[in-house]
Amino acid sequence: MKSSQPIGIFDSGIGGLTVARAVKKILPNESIIYFGDTAHLPYGDKSTAAIQAYSVRIAEMLLQHKCKVILIACNSASSAAYDLVTEYVGKRAKVFDVINPTIDFIRENHNGDKLGLIGTKQTVSSGVYARKISDLNQDIEFVSLATPLLVPMIEEGIYEDEISRNIINKYLNDPVLSNINALILGCTHYPIIHQEIKNYFYSSNKEVEIIDSADTVARALKSYLEYNQLSSKGSDAVDKFFVSDFTESFEQTTKTFFGTEVHLEQIPIWDELT
Ligand code: DGL
């Protein structure tokens, strides 16, 4: 692997741009190749087998683009396909997901705490977080709640208003999340409502740390690149953003997740499979 190779990031759609944005913020010299599988979204309601098949094919495409790292930005794909993608990629690139860096963060900071997770149905029902937290062998109580309305809500541009506040409050009021010390935002889209979630706990007088998996994986990636002397040395980074199905509305929504609107290019990676 060479430091000049790009970083591949993939997601079910454009929500993973929150992760690309976090990476870009702390690693501005790295070139990014982003792929959003808009032809198949949402992954949150798909079967594990379907997500695994999509993820391996996407990893192959990113390898063809000579990526030194493949970062699975999607929590649903991280929970369904990390092991398989890692095995498939082998030594050809380093694979990151958004779950393991969060588990490392928890190991170092949350022994003795009660932790909550919110995410898609796939992420919650996979039980991956529960298993990895229990493997830490620490005194941690773990609870989780699927919050499937949040993705379409954010994609429809409904956030920072009364409707989003009501939906967020309804979910966070769920008794399963009572008395947590920290809440893991286990979905690409949730950084967009980070502040609203914070406000909920603040206004209910609860001190709850919000763990944003986009930030934890960006920090882990930076340490990995530095430690392995794989950080890009140039200042001529070029980012490319691909999707499997282009619509103008997807392109417009990139602003919500990336901060600025980016140009999306369609690549037909599924043609050979259909
Ligand atoms: N990217 C997905 C995740 O982080 C959310 C959107 C979807 O369900 O595809 O789980």
Side-chain angles (χ1 to χ4, degrees):
M1 280 188 271
K2 289 200 213 103
S3 57
S4 57
Q5 290 173 251
I7 293 180
I9 301 180
F10 81 85
D11 178 44
S12 55
I14 39 177
L17 286 171
T18 54
V19 178
R21 183 184 191 175
V23 167
K24 207 67 210 167
K25 194 168 162 202
I26 61 169
L27 293 165
N29 293 337
E30 299 294 334
S31 295
I32 287 177
I33 299 202
Y34 182 88
F35 179 80
D37 192 9
T38 48
H40 291 130
L41 68 78
Y43 278 11
D45 303 331
K46 295 276 182 311
S47 68
T48 299
I51 299 172
Q52 288 179 336
Y54 301 149
S55 300
V56 167
R57 176 67 188 95
I58 297 165
E60 176 56 35
M61 184 275 284
L62 293 171
L63 287 173
Q64 282 165 15
H65 278 85
K66 309 247 170 318
C67 293
K68 61 186 171 191
V69 165
I70 293 177
L71 195 174
I72 309 175
C74 178
N75 268 264
S76 305
S78 293
S79 60
Y82 172 72
D83 291 342
L84 196 70
V85 170
T86 306
E87 198 180 316
Y88 178 80
V89 168
K91 290 200 166 64
R92 293 179 287 172
K94 167 76 178 170
V95 179
F96 275 88
D97 70 351
V98 280
I99 299 178
N100 284 309
T102 302
I103 299 294
D104 290 340
F105 178 80
I106 289 168
R107 180 196 298 113
E108 280 151 35
N109 299 284
H110 286 285
N111 195 7
D113 283 348
K114 178 172 176 184
L115 301 184
L117 163 78
I118 53 172
T120 64
K121 288 181 189 164
Q122 159 66 33
T123 298
V124 169
S125 67
S126 73
V128 169
Y129 277 94
R131 204 175 59 243
K132 292 194 173 191
I133 288 174
S134 130
D135 286 349
L136 293 178
N137 241 334
Q138 290 187 346
D139 176 25
I140 295 174
E141 188 184 345
F142 175 75
V143 291
S144 59
L145 182 72
T147 49
L149 265 184
L150 298 181
V151 165
M153 176 189 94
I154 294 165
E155 283 185 359
E156 285 307 318
I158 301 172
Y159 49 90
E160 289 167 12
D161 67 12
E162 207 183 320
I163 300 173
S164 61
R165 205 163 38 248
N166 285 334
I167 295 175
I168 291 167
N169 287 6
K170 173 143 182 55
Y171 278 136
L172 298 182
N173 255 327
D174 193 295
V176 84
L177 296 176
S178 62
N179 302 322
I180 52 171
N181 306 101
L183 180 71
I184 304 162
L185 305 188
C187 177
T188 44
H189 290 51
Y190 302 171
I192 306 303
I193 51 169
H194 186 136
Q195 191 57 43
E196 284 180 88
I197 291 174
K198 238 172 142 172
N199 292 347
Y200 164 84
F201 289 118
Y202 186 74
S203 63
S204 2
N205 268 328
K206 291 178 188 145
E207 231 179 85
V208 175
E209 184 189 349
I210 314 291
I211 304 175
D212 184 334
S213 44
D215 287 336
T216 48
V217 71
R219 286 197 301 268
L221 174 58
K222 185 170 193 274
S223 311
Y224 168 82
L225 294 177
E226 283 171 2
Y227 185 78
N228 292 283
Q229 297 179 347
L230 281 172
S231 307
S232 167
K233 295 176 184 66
S235 53
D236 49 355
V238 180
D239 303 324
K240 292 202 176 112
F241 301 90
F242 297 115
V243 285
S244 48
D245 187 31
F246 176 86
T247 66
E248 263 170 31
S249 129
F250 284 139
E251 192 160 81
Q252 282 157 10
T253 321
T254 57
K255 188 166 194 293
T256 301
F257 297 104
F258 198 63
T260 51
E261 190 170 318
V262 296
H263 173 59
L264 299 176
E265 243 176 275
Q266 179 166 322
I267 42 169
I269 78 163
W270 305 116
D271 287 6
E272 68 211 62
L273 297 183
T274 50

